[in-house]
Amino acid sequence: MICFFCATPYHIMLSIIIKENHFKAQSADIVIYNHFHGAKNLYEKILDTGIFKNVYFFNENNSSIKNRFKRIYHSIFPQKVIQRIANNSHYSEMIFFALDFLNISYIIKRYHRSHKKCIFSYGEDGMGTYMEPIYVPNKYLRLFLKITRRKQFLKKIKTLYVLVPHLLQCNNFKNIKQIGTAKNNEILTFCKQTLWSEGIGIQLKRVVYMQEPFYNDFSLNIDYIEHQILDICNKIFQNDFLIKLHPRTQKFKYSSASILRMNIPFELLLTESKPDSLIIISFLSTAAITPGFLFGHTPYLIFTYELLADKCPFINTEVTAFITELKKLKTCHERIFIPKTIEELKTILLELHQKTNN
């Protein structure tokens, strides 16, 4: 029996694909964290489908001071959901997409003390998996885990599931497993018609700007540059331009009639449109590249991270190496653009406007 731990719709979609590709003959449970808008609604949908034997809703996050205190308390006295899983002796593998090191280490510690046999794995968490050492707790968590004698148990996680193993620039675990594509049309149909049916019939514009929560995540204000990018897109493409807001974005200051705020995995929205003529603009969004990994779609990709180089010190050699390898893929060859200036971005957009205007 397998158990997945998910904190985003993307995690849930990948869990369904892994279950189909790797554990089709086995039953599986899933834990859904309340870390995104609409999590409870999605939990109830999944509960009704029966695709997972048990579906657990983990109602805890850091969205308020009260919740932060609750999280501190539960880091020592875990919630019943976590205790129930830690006491379950039927799991042969647990796959952690949610990087909840406190509860992960608690579960593994309990399994170890009870001499239960289980494989512990991480699941891909988007682009960060390929370019950043994200499977390492920060210094404060490391200290807490050391005090509670749980730190050592994270070392028992030796497997990592990813979409494209050879693109990994870091996070090299002992065992790297490829998630695989959504090759079974039943998976796509199930995701689109049952879990995210609100996306049916939504036609994307020719240009989609994938907004990212820089201020929410890094207290980084990029409004000036972002508004320049959006102004150019509006001027060139006018009504054929859409802004897709990130699920964690709370406030967005740019005024536009074409703003999409939905928690549907972008990969599923793309199947409703003409992906090969689509132009996706993003800093370096996971959703920009995964349509190619999962479904073989080949949109044009414009990454704007060079425009923010002086504001974003986390652009490093791993990012450069990742993009170099990404360009070699069949689905991305000659379809990736990385402008260094606003003027260069404008030139690229004008060229793509002409190329896709038919």
Side-chain angles (χ1 to χ4, degrees), residues 108 112 118-121 152-159:
I108 298 175
H112 176 75
C118 185
I119 296 170
F120 300 103
S121 309
Q152 61 190 15
F153 295 102
L154 292 177
K155 295 179 181 179
K156 293 187 176 294
I157 305 176
K158 301 181 184 299
T159 303

Side-chain angles (χ1 to χ4, degrees), residues 87-215:
N87 292 328
N88 191 329
S89 60
H90 300 298
Y91 295 124
S92 59
E93 184 167 357
M94 296 186 191
I95 302 176
F96 305 108
F97 286 94
L99 301 183
D100 180 9
F101 298 113
L102 294 174
N103 286 311
I104 288 173
S105 58
Y106 172 81
I107 291 169
I108 298 175
K109 182 178 180 179
R110 290 291 297 273
Y111 257 65
H112 176 75
R113 287 190 167 180
S114 302
H115 304 288
K116 300 172 185 175
K117 291 184 178 180
C118 185
I119 296 170
F120 300 103
S121 309
Y122 284 124
E124 177 183 309
D125 191 34
M127 298 272 260
T129 294
Y130 296 90
M131 299 177 290
E132 304 170 56
I134 62 174
Y135 301 101
V136 179
N138 62 40
K139 62 180 181 180
Y140 302 109
L141 276 178
R142 287 199 300 271
L143 177 61
F144 180 83
L145 291 171
K146 188 175 181 179
I147 293 171
T148 56
R149 298 182 180 180
R150 295 188 208 167
K151 182 182 176 183
Q152 61 190 15
F153 295 102
L154 292 177
K155 295 179 181 179
K156 293 187 176 294
I157 305 176
K158 301 181 184 299
T159 303
L160 175 63
Y161 286 85
V162 294
L163 287 171
V164 190
H166 78 268
L167 289 181
L168 282 169
Q169 305 304 317
C170 56
N171 295 315
N172 291 311
F173 286 75
K174 182 178 180 181
N175 301 311
I176 303 294
K177 293 188 177 182
Q178 188 166 11
I179 291 172
T181 61
K183 55 190 175 185
N184 188 339
N185 286 333
E186 291 181 5
I187 297 177
L188 182 59
T189 301
F190 173 78
C191 289
K192 287 175 61 176
Q193 297 186 1
T194 305
L195 298 188
W196 292 285
S197 57
E198 59 269 36
I200 295 176
I202 293 179
Q203 291 291 320
L204 298 175
K205 307 287 187 176
R206 188 167 23 146
V207 178
V208 178
Y209 178 77
M210 306 294 293
Q211 183 269 338
E212 295 176 66
F214 284 102
Y215 190 79

Side-chain angles (χ1 to χ4, degrees), residues 298-352:
T298 56
Y300 293 99
L301 305 177
I302 301 176
F303 294 126
T304 60
Y305 62 84
E306 286 281 3
L307 303 181
L308 306 173
D310 60 328
K311 293 179 175 290
C312 301
F314 42 84
I315 298 301
N316 51 32
T317 55
E318 284 77 14
V319 173
T320 303
F322 172 80
I323 294 296
T324 299
E325 292 301 315
L326 185 65
K327 286 181 175 181
K328 296 177 183 178
L329 296 181
K330 184 178 179 180
T331 53
C332 299
H333 186 59
E334 295 184 352
R335 284 180 167 258
I336 295 179
F337 303 87
I338 306 170
K340 295 182 181 298
T341 66
I342 287 291
E343 283 303 314
E344 188 177 342
L345 170 65
K346 186 176 180 179
T347 300
I348 292 169
L349 286 172
L350 286 169
E351 291 175 356
L352 291 179

Side-chain angles (χ1 to χ4, degrees), residues 272-286:
E272 293 284 314
S273 306
K274 298 178 180 179
D276 292 351
S277 60
L278 194 73
I279 302 166
I280 299 177
I281 304 172
S282 81
F283 172 77
L284 203 55
S285 171
T286 297

